[in-house]
Amino acid sequence: MISFVKAHACGNDFLIIEEAVAGRRHAELAQKLCSRNTSVGADGIEFLERRADGSFFLRLFNADGSEAELSGNGTRCVAAWLAQSEGLNEVALGTHGGVRTCRVISSDGPVFQIESGMGVPRVMRRAIELEGVGVVEGAMVNVGNPHYVLFVDTDDFGSHGMTWQELGGKIAVSPLFPHGTNVEFVKVKSADEIEFRIFERGCGPTTSSGTGTCASSSAAIALRDCARSLTAVAEGGAQSVVWPSNGEAMMLTGPAEFVCVGEVFA
Ligand SMILES: N[C@@H](CCC[C@H](N)C(=O)O)C(=O)O
């Protein structure tokens, strides 16, 4: 049996498991335990390593067993857990995408509001050509992990005669991105509000993404003249970002909520 915590951030859900009990089974555990029909179900697993010097390191595995550099929402869920279980109201969490420092702003029962330093986004305008689709105009954005951001103005976020889920699925696995990419479809609603949809690498359509929020927002700020402080609304809810200047870290604020703790056969 493996002990876990389940938490979500705007519906983007994660299991938190101590690295010490993972053995070398990270990918296998992710595939097994993230299954929504046959196990607990989640978009990914955050494996929490406690290092001898007192620092923390997170390894994120997507539901398909692939390892990603980091998750913004998953990191926030872990920060909320460390606040709840160990009273750490500010914590630095190492990830393969860089160290993310998270600070509890408020809490109400199982719901925590947390501000996270998300590093400096890198935005590069880039048109891509997809077989059977044609040219797609968008931007490659790196926020510790890779994203491709497209701006759309359709009611249903579709583009190129496809639903956003269909087009997102094609872009995510295009050979143009050898390591795959997360994909966001962004609508600018006003100077300080965007709405977006997310096709996540290694997991598919999700209701929210922390790094996706940062990628979409930084692209909207850099390429669509949006305000440096804005609200990004996904299907699972809103998060807010502040990006003081292109060379500075983006700050992301949003919720994390505990669902349950338990033990699972694995
Ligand atoms: N939902 C996450 C992103 C998770 C990682 C992603 N699937 C990847 O492979 O990069 C977030 O909140 O950032």
Side-chain angles (χ1 to χ4, degrees):
M1 300 280 271
I2 289 192
S3 300
F4 69 90
V5 178
K6 180 165 175 165
H8 77 94
C10 302
N12 187 200
D13 53 351
F14 297 89
L15 306 182
I16 303 168
I17 292 179
E18 295 288 329
E19 170 69 26
V21 302
R24 290 174 186 270
R25 298 176 61 211
H26 304 81
E28 178 205 332
L29 288 173
Q31 288 172 326
K32 189 166 182 178
L33 305 188
C34 291
S35 168
R36 298 196 182 276
N37 297 112
T38 57
S39 190
V40 183
D43 289 332
I45 300 184
E46 292 282 5
F47 291 97
L48 171 60
E49 181 185 348
R50 296 160 189 277
R51 296 195 160 160
D53 62 2
S55 64
F56 298 100
F57 193 86
L58 294 178
R59 287 183 74 184
L60 169 66
F61 282 74
N62 292 315
D64 71 352
S66 60
E67 183 168 13
E69 294 84 347
L70 83 162
S71 162
N73 283 341
T75 301
R76 195 163 73 234
C77 287
V78 174
W81 177 239
L82 290 172
Q84 163 83 13
S85 59
E86 294 167 41
L88 298 177
N89 282 326
E90 183 161 336
V91 65
L93 296 164
T95 75
H96 288 305
V99 176
R100 299 292 179 258
T101 299
C102 304
R103 184 171 64 86
V104 175
I105 292 174
S106 64
S107 65
D108 182 7
V111 183
F112 286 68
Q113 289 293 328
I114 292 185
E115 180 191 61
S116 310
M118 294 294 290
V120 182
R122 304 280 173 215
V123 182
M124 192 166 55
R125 198 189 289 273
R126 173 67 58 89
I128 56 173
E129 186 156 6
L130 295 178
E131 209 182 310
V133 176
V135 175
V136 177
E137 305 277 350
M140 289 166 60
V141 183
N142 193 296
V143 287
N145 61 354
H147 294 257
Y148 190 77
V149 176
L150 294 71
F151 292 97
V152 294
D153 53 17
T154 48
D155 286 345
D156 61 1
F157 293 84
S159 188
H160 295 71
M162 280 177 271
T163 64
W164 64 267
Q165 293 93 335
E166 287 165 344
L167 183 56
K170 286 183 188 296
I171 297 172
V173 298
S174 161
L176 295 168
F177 304 101
H179 303 290
T181 186
N182 299 287
V183 187
E184 282 83 32
F185 297 81
V186 178
K187 264 198 255 189
V188 176
K189 307 286 280 187
S190 67
D192 60 4
E193 185 177 317
I194 60 169
E195 193 176 340
F196 70 114
R197 296 290 180 265
I198 308 130
F199 191 99
E200 234 190 68
R201 177 177 67 166
C203 150
T206 59
T207 59
S208 178
S209 167
T211 54
T213 297
C214 293
S216 301
S217 302
S218 55
I221 293 166
L223 306 175
R224 287 290 187 281
D225 253 357
C226 280
R228 285 195 171 268
S229 171
L230 60 78
T231 302
V233 183
E235 288 172 294
Q239 302 196 34
S240 59
V241 305
V242 178
W243 194 20
S245 72
N246 290 359
E248 286 178 82
M250 178 170 266
M251 303 305 292
L252 170 71
T253 301
E257 176 172 16
F258 299 117
V259 178
C260 59
V261 295
E263 289 194 318
V264 58
F265 292 105

